[in-house]
Amino acid sequence: MARILIVEDNALNIKLFCDLLAAHGHEPQAVTDSRQALEAARDFSPDLVITDIQLPHVSGLDLIRMVRDDDKLREVPIMAVTAYATAGDEERIRGAGAESYVTKPISVARFVAEVDALLAPKKAPVEAH
């Protein structure tokens, strides 16, 4: 089970992400105010951060940079999610420090596959019998 912090201001997306993650055995925690996201991440010690890019107050790009600059969080993988995908967005988002980029409306299969891929390095290797 992975601890996954979700930074999202849309209640329907929060419910969808939390339900999907919980159904796959993870422990999701949502933050709706991006101004509280960094402190929440420090307290929760997530294995993965999923953040919307279009957030009021602190943008997802700024939040990604803040996580990357934080000694406790800099190694935590980040998935960026956005409804407003334009040319160059993926490069900007990955340049800020996100390992993954998913556009809304999300494909459930792609979302789950991206989460699994980001968490894969954290899983213990399976021993051969």
Side-chain angles (χ1 to χ4, degrees):
M1 172 180 70
R3 296 162 62 88
I4 301 175
L5 184 72
I6 301 159
V7 184
E8 170 66 72
D9 61 330
N10 179 291
L12 290 175
N13 286 334
I14 290 169
K15 178 163 178 29
L16 173 63
F17 296 165
C18 286
D19 288 351
L20 274 173
L21 294 168
H24 285 85
H26 302 302
E27 180 185 343
Q29 177 178 314
V31 177
T32 57
D33 187 331
S34 57
R35 294 171 293 190
Q36 299 165 356
L38 194 63
E39 184 177 341
R42 287 184 186 130
D43 292 344
F44 187 57
S45 298
D47 299 302
L48 172 64
V49 172
I50 298 173
T51 184
D52 189 11
I53 293 300
Q54 302 293 327
L55 293 166
H57 312 299
V58 177
S59 77
L61 279 175
D62 288 339
L63 179 60
I64 291 167
R65 291 183 188 109
M66 289 163 51
V67 169
R68 288 292 163 250
D69 288 342
D70 188 278
D71 290 338
K72 184 177 177 186
L73 301 170
R74 76 170 30 112
E75 300 301 319
V76 176
I78 300 171
M79 176 194 293
V81 182
T82 185
Y84 305 102
T86 60
D89 277 358
E90 184 168 3
E91 291 77 19
R92 274 192 297 282
I93 290 166
R94 289 185 184 276
E99 285 81 1
S100 179
Y101 171 84
V102 177
T103 57
K104 294 178 193 172
I106 66 161
S107 151
V108 170
R110 170 133 191 258
F111 179 83
V112 171
E114 290 285 334
V115 167
D116 288 346
L118 290 169
L119 293 172
K122 295 198 176 294
K123 291 181 183 171
V126 178
E127 292 183 25
H129 294 284

